């Protein structure tokens, strides 16, 4: 398996390139290490200007001449001289320096492993697993080694591992753990011990399970067990950088896959906030130490603060945004910017500051090949200033001071410090008394009536909480009580707030979120007071609390291609169909919440809200169809046509949206009216279990319906109605293009033609879309008498009224949809106009939404400008009324006047009086 290569974007050159004739003097002045090597090996000066990555062939010739240990050191020094030379002379980008140093460490580590494995194997035989397979060591790089961003004098942080326990097959066989422990010790010695030729790389193994007290090597099974049972938060943070760097790369990749759920939690992990704050406090405390003031790594505004900032975003959000799961700092910063977690300008500034600090770090370490991050004093500081192309020491100090101040300020602004305990002792004392008083409330009859807080305390007494959850609740409740005192809510809203607290107190990471983000708490209270729909969603799915943190909530609504990209990310990142469906469900919940908040704030009108909900459904349907197609193709193969018969096309399927989906007029609780069409061909699919097209696509359609309606921890996607297919429930779930055409032309009822006026292609193959629209135009452009159409539509409208009058749950005189002049009446007027005019004016078929259809009918003169103005304004008001009724149930909403729209209905279709 090939090495895991890191894509580094630090493709940045120093600001100055030293002229060729001045390079030797410049390097000698700036680096005692390089000067010493040039004195000892004057021939090494040849070719230093040219880039040349470390190569195994060059190492092999050196090792053959000098032996492994001396060969490693001589080879390392020769390569380091080139790296230092090109860095100091301004010939190498930061990316090249990182890459060359990382490749050098990987090559030396691999060479040592292979040689010592060979020697041990000669003595003890081949280590074999319990299944008899040969076993090889694999090494996981951490820190800057794992990130592919080594500095000039880095340690290499590693964990030594092997796949399976077992025994060597030689006469003097060892247990695998003994074999690989001896191998690891030999490798460390070959790399780290100082000889007459110096050293190769310092090896640090303290990040392994149980640290220095733990075994030097571990099997995959023991590693998995350790991280499941013993893994701590700081180890999650360290393992962000984990990457296979040597040995058995296939086993290394399995290790990375195994620990991913430990490192990255599926939901935004606010249980880690407290641990990260501890680390954050430690970083700051360490930085303030007197001996750290000149330390550009650990000191204030240093390299560590930038790395910590990026890795916090990774550990908190990497479970959901899998593109953040990268060991590269550069890669993480790019994704943070792409996801909008930080502004692009901020990302650019961070990259600029990090580049300056890393260039400076290399110049400091180039002096004597020492692992130091301290800006030296005296003459050495002058040498570092020259190496950084500064005019003097004062100029260097000013540049460094500006950079560190920016880093420190940004660090404080972006990553919040641990909040102090509540300063309002009044509410802390009240919360303490409430808990004491709760002990006396044992029976429901003792709970004061109409007192939401007392009811909450009684219900809380039945909840079993861990000690940590109770401590978090004790920190949260005084803050909540203080807010509730400042923001008076009615009893219904208070009950909703307390329902949420009861829902999350056992998953107390959400309490941490609300304490950490006071504005999110304020936003939650505002929304819970304003919308029962929002409250119900958040109470049922508390993961939505994360959306409240976003200050853009209610302002930025993802639509169209942006939503499709979000769906694509879920499909690409999630492992398995279950995870994909859960990811899609969360995406739907979060997007609906954003749309609802925007509408509640008055920033999104009814038409735009319905279109955004339709865009969301369209993107989800396209994603679901893709995973269904993938499953069916794995089981039954596909239809790829016949290469010997160019006239034979492959079979395809598409989804057609009807009703509110087709018209892009979805509501918050709308179901999806869909029809499945496929192109029939002769023959069967080419898989191990072949099927003819109708059965093949029927199974695919069934999978789509199953995926849309199955319950996941994040709910179900949509209710689905397929009754608008040809022959309704009695018809096949999927229809061939030809059968669909024949039915629509010869058998469709008038109400089915009405439905077709609102139908549009949603997902699937474009060939199906083209043929569907051709059939739709052919059918709707057929000759029809307007008077007969009006009579048919009027009878249909009367039938709807009779049915809904019989339904005690629907008041047809007040319903925005069914009342005279309501949404259905306006839709019927538009549909009559389209059906009556399409033969002479096919352009009216371009629109599937009611408002767009009304505009088209005005343009051809079927409706007057005044009529369209009345119908459109009435429809928009009714849609707003209907949508807001979903969001703020139980609160009165001003009803729109529909009398003029009712008059237009009667003029066009006739009186509905029986």
């Amino acid at each position: 398996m090939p090495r895991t290569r890191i894509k580094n974007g630090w493709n940045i050159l120093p600001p100055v390139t030293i002229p060729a004739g001045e390079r030797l003097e410049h390097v000698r002045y700036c680096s005692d290490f390089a000067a010493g090597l040039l004195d000892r090996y004057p021939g090494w000066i040849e070719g230093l200007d040219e880039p040349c990555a470390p190569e195994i062939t060059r190492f092999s010739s050196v090792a053959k001449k000098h032996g492994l240990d001396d060969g490693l050191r001589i080879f390392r020094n020769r390569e380091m001289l080139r790296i230092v030379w090109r860095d100091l002379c301004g010939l190498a980008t930061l990316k090249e320096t990182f890459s060359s140093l990382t490749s050098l460490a990987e090559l030396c580590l691999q060479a040592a492993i292979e040689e010592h494995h060979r020697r041990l194997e000669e003595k003890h035989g081949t280590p074999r697993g319990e299944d008899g397979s040969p076993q090889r060591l694999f090494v996981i790089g951490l820190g800057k080694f794992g990130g592919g961003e080594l500095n000039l004098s880095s340690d290499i942080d590693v964990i030594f591992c092997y796949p399976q326990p077992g025994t060597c097959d030689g006469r003097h066989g060892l247990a695998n753990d003994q074999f690989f422990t001896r191998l690891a010790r030999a490798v460390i010695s070959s790399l780290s011990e100082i000889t007459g030729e110096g050293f190769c790389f310092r090896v640090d193994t303290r990040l392994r399970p149980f640290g220095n007290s733990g075994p030097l090597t571990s099997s995959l099974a023991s590693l998995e067990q350790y991280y499941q049972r013993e893994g701590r938060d700081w180890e999650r943070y360290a393992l962000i950088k984990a990457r296979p760097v040597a040995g058995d790369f296939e086993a290394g990749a399995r290790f990375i896959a195994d620990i991913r759920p430990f490192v990255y939690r599926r939901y935004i992990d606010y249980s880690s906030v407290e641990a990260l704050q501890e680390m954050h406090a430690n970083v700051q405390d360490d930085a303030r130490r007197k001996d750290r003031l000149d330390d550009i790594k650990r000191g204030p505004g240093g390299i560590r603060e930038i790395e910590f900032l990026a890795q916090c975003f990774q550990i908190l959000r990497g479970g959901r945004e899998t593109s953040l799961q990268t060991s590269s700092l550069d890669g993480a910063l790019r994704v943070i910017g792409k996801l909008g977690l930080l502004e692009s300008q901020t990302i650019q500034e961070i990259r600029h500051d990090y580049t300056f600090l890393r260039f400076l770090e290399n110049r400091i370490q180039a002096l004597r090949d020492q692992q130091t991050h301290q800006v030296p004093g005296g003459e050495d500081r002058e040498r570092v200033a020259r190496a950084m192309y500064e005019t003097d020491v004062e100029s260097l100090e000013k540049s460094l001071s500006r950079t560190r101040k920016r880093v420190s300020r940004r660090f404080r602004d972006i990553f919040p410090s641990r909040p102090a305990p509540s300063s309002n002792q009044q509410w802390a004392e009240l919360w303490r008394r409430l808990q004491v008083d709760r002990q006396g409330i044992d029976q429901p009859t003792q709970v004061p009536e109409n007192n939401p807080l007392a009811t909450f305390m009684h219900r809380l007494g039945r909840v079993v909480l861990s000690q940590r959850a109770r401590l978090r609740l004790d920190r949260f409740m005084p803050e909540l009580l203080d807010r509730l005192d400042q923001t008076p809510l009615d009893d219904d809203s208070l009950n909703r707030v307390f329902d949420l607290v009861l829902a999350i107190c056992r998953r107390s990471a959400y309490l941490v979120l609300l304490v950490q983000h006071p504005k999110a708490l304020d936003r939650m209270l505002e929304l819970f007071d304003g919308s029962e729909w929002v409250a119900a969603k958040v109470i049922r799915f508390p993961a939505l609390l994360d959306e409240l943190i976003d200050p853009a909530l209610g302002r930025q609504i993802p639509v169209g291609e942006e939503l499709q990209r979000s769906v694509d990310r879920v499909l690409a990142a999630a492992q398995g169909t279950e995870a994909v469906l859960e990811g899609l469900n969360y995406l739907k919940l979060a997007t609906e919440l954003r749309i609802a908040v925007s509408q509640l704030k008055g920033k999104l009108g009814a038409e735009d809200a319905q279109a955004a909900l339709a865009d969301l459904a369209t993107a989800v349907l396209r994603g679901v169809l893709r995973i269904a197609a993938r499953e069916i193709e794995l089981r039954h193969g596909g239809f790829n046509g016949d290469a010997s018969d160019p006239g034979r096309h492959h079979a395809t399927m598409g989804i057609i949206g009807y009703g509110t989906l087709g018209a892009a007029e979805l509501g918050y609780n709308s179901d999806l009216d869909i029809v499945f069409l496929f192109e029939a061909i002769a023959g069967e699919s080419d898989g191990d279990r072949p099927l003819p097209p109708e059965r093949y696509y029927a199974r695919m359609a069934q999978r789509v319906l199953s995926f849309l309606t199955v319950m996941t921890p994040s709910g179900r996607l949509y209710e689905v109605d397929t009754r608008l297919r040809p022959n309704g429930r009695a018809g096949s779930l999927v229809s061939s293009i030809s059968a669909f055409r024949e039915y629509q032309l010869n058998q469709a009822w008038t109400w089915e033609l009405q439905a077709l006026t609102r139908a549009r292609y949603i997902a699937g193959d474009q060939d199906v879309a083209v043929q569907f629209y051709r059939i739709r135009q052919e059918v709707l452009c057929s000759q029809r008498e307007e008077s007969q159409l009006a009579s048919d539509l009027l009878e249909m409208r009367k039938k709807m009224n009779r049915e809904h009058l019989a339904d005690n749950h629907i008041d047809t005189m007040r319903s925005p949809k069914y009342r005279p002049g309501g949404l259905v009446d306006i839709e019927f007027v538009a549909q009559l106009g389209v059906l009556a005019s399409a033969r002479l004016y096919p352009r009216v078929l371009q629109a599937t939404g009611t408002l767009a259809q009304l505009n088209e009918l005005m343009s051809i003169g079927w409706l007057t400008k005044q009529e369209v103005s009345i119908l459109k304004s009435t429809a928009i008001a009714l849609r707003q009324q209907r949508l807001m009724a979903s969001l703020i149930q139980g609160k009165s909403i001003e009803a729109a006047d529909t009398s003029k729209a009712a008059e237009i209905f009667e003029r066009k279709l006739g009186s509905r009086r029986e």
Side-chain angles (χ1 to χ4, degrees), residues 753 756-760 773-782 784 831 833-839 841-849 852-853 856-857 860:
L753 299 178
L756 194 60
T757 66
R758 290 160 65 81
R760 66 184 172 97
Y773 283 123
R774 188 180 296 135
I775 294 169
R776 179 174 180 266
Q777 180 161 337
E778 180 184 5
V779 171
L780 295 180
C781 287
S782 298
R784 294 182 179 89
Q831 290 158 17
V834 170
L835 290 171
S837 307
R839 180 174 177 80
Y841 302 100
R843 59 172 289 182
V844 299
L845 298 179
Q846 295 174 6
T848 59
Q853 288 174 338
E856 293 291 345
L857 294 171
I860 64 171

Side-chain angles (χ1 to χ4, degrees), residues 241-305:
K241 293 284 192 181
R243 176 178 66 94
V245 293
D248 185 342
F249 280 88
E250 186 174 344
R254 291 202 301 272
F255 168 78
I256 298 298
D258 288 346
I259 63 164
R260 189 169 286 121
F262 167 68
V263 180
Y264 300 105
R265 306 295 161 81
R266 180 172 295 180
Y267 293 110
I268 291 187
D269 185 16
Y270 288 98
S271 63
S272 298
V273 168
E274 290 172 319
L276 288 172
Q277 285 176 331
E278 293 287 349
M279 296 181 211
H280 167 251
N282 291 338
V283 170
Q284 288 192 314
D285 291 344
D286 190 51
R288 285 191 287 265
R289 283 171 44 184
K290 190 173 182 179
D291 61 337
R292 295 286 195 230
L293 296 182
D294 281 328
D295 190 319
I296 64 167
K297 178 180 178 180
R298 302 177 186 86
I303 293 168
R304 178 185 280 180
E305 291 189 357

Side-chain angles (χ1 to χ4, degrees), residues 139 235 300 314 495 506 512 562 638 715 717 745 769 785 799 895 909:
V139 184
E235 288 175 299
Q314 288 181 273
N495 283 324
R506 280 184 292 195
V512 175
E562 186 179 353
L717 286 168
L745 284 172
E785 289 294 330
K799 181 180 179 182
L909 281 83

Side-chain angles (χ1 to χ4, degrees), residues 833-877:
V834 170
L835 290 171
S837 307
R839 180 174 177 80
L840 293 178
Y841 302 100
R843 59 172 289 182
V844 299
L845 298 179
Q846 295 174 6
T848 59
T850 302
L851 300 186
Q853 288 174 338
L854 293 173
N855 286 334
E856 293 291 345
L857 294 171
M858 180 179 66
S859 70
I860 64 171
W862 194 84
L863 287 171
T864 68
K865 185 176 181 179
Q866 183 181 14
E867 287 173 330
V868 169
S869 177
I870 291 170
L871 293 173
K872 286 180 66 176
S873 61
T874 305
I876 290 170

Side-chain angles (χ1 to χ4, degrees), residues 12-41:
I12 304 164
L13 276 167
V16 175
T17 300
I18 304 298
E22 301 173 14
R23 289 172 189 168
L24 178 58
E25 185 274 333
H26 178 76
V27 170
R28 282 185 171 278
Y29 178 78
C30 295
S31 174
D32 290 343
F33 167 66
L37 289 175
L38 288 169
D39 288 341
R40 187 172 182 183
Y41 303 103

Side-chain angles (χ1 to χ4, degrees), residues 658 675-677 722-736 739-741 743-744 752:
Y658 277 71
V675 168
F676 298 97
L677 299 181
T722 61
R723 290 175 295 176
L724 289 174
R725 66 186 187 266
N727 294 310
R729 287 176 175 164
S732 172
L733 182 59
V734 296
S735 300
S736 69
F740 179 79
R741 177 180 180 275
Y743 180 88
Q744 295 293 338
E752 291 177 294

Side-chain angles (χ1 to χ4, degrees), residues 423-726:
S423 58
N424 195 330
Q425 293 302 315
Q426 171 191 355
W427 300 110
E429 178 60 26
L430 173 60
W431 173 242
R432 189 191 66 78
R433 289 203 313 272
L434 285 170
Q435 294 183 89
V436 172
D437 294 345
R438 188 188 69 202
Q439 309 304 319
I441 301 178
D442 296 322
Q443 303 298 325
T445 54
Q446 295 178 263
V447 180
E449 292 185 9
N450 301 320
N451 187 325
L453 181 57
T455 302
F456 163 71
M457 295 303 298
H458 173 69
R459 295 172 64 196
L460 182 64
R462 301 178 178 181
V463 179
V464 178
L465 298 177
S466 67
Q467 182 178 3
R468 182 168 69 168
R470 190 162 295 285
L471 288 172
R472 288 172 171 175
L473 185 64
D474 288 344
R475 287 182 61 196
F476 169 71
M477 285 304 299
E479 301 293 333
L480 176 62
L481 294 172
D482 187 16
R483 291 299 200 293
L484 293 177
D485 181 62
Q486 299 173 37
T487 313
L489 305 179
D490 60 32
D491 285 354
D492 288 339
S493 298
L494 281 172
N495 283 324
R496 291 196 286 269
V497 171
F498 291 134
D499 283 346
L500 175 67
V501 178
L502 289 167
I504 66 176
C505 61
R506 280 184 292 195
R507 291 176 283 180
S508 57
Y510 296 117
L511 297 175
V512 175
L513 181 156
L514 293 171
V515 171
Q516 293 292 331
H517 299 275
K519 290 182 179 178
L521 177 57
D522 293 337
R523 208 169 287 129
M524 183 270 286
L525 294 176
E526 177 188 355
L527 291 172
F528 272 43
D529 184 41
S531 172
E532 183 178 345
W533 183 90
V534 169
K537 290 287 185 183
V538 176
I539 291 168
R540 186 176 177 192
F541 306 108
L544 288 172
L545 285 170
D546 171 60
E547 303 300 319
L548 301 181
I549 296 173
D550 187 355
L553 182 67
R555 296 202 304 270
Q556 296 178 357
I557 307 300
V559 294
E561 291 183 2
E562 186 179 353
L563 277 170
Q564 195 60 59
R565 286 194 295 271
S566 297
V567 168
D568 292 344
R569 284 201 299 271
V570 172
L571 266 61
Q575 302 292 318
T577 301
E578 183 179 344
V580 169
L581 293 177
E582 189 167 345
L584 290 176
N585 271 280
Y586 182 83
L587 174 66
K588 174 178 178 278
L589 287 170
T591 306
E592 284 182 337
L593 177 67
R594 288 178 175 274
I595 295 169
V597 171
S598 185
Q599 194 173 11
L600 288 166
K601 291 179 175 294
K603 298 183 181 298
L604 197 68
E607 186 176 5
D608 289 335
Q610 289 182 319
L613 290 167
D615 280 349
L616 172 62
T618 298
V620 168
L621 272 170
R622 290 174 180 172
V624 167
L625 181 58
R626 280 170 55 190
I627 58 175
R630 188 188 308 158
E631 281 198 6
I632 297 300
E633 187 168 358
L634 283 173
R635 295 179 184 177
H636 304 289
F639 298 92
N640 299 311
D642 186 346
S644 64
D645 181 6
R648 179 184 173 191
H649 300 290
H650 63 284
T652 54
M653 189 177 84
I655 298 177
I656 309 302
Y658 277 71
T660 54
L661 174 62
E665 297 168 356
L666 246 62
Y668 290 104
N669 303 306
S670 292
D671 58 10
L672 303 184
D673 294 297
I674 57 177
V675 168
F676 298 97
L677 299 181
F678 72 95
E679 183 178 8
I681 62 170
E684 297 182 326
S685 59
D686 57 12
D688 293 336
R689 291 179 285 176
L691 292 174
E694 184 167 2
R695 289 182 59 198
Y696 184 94
Y697 288 114
R699 292 196 182 183
M700 189 183 297
Q702 288 165 352
R703 296 305 290 157
V704 168
L705 297 179
S706 173
F707 293 155
L708 289 170
T709 57
V710 69
M711 182 61 72
T712 75
S714 297
R716 62 165 52 92
L717 286 168
Y718 292 98
E719 296 292 343
V720 182
D721 191 339
T722 61
R723 290 175 295 176
L724 289 174
R725 66 186 187 266

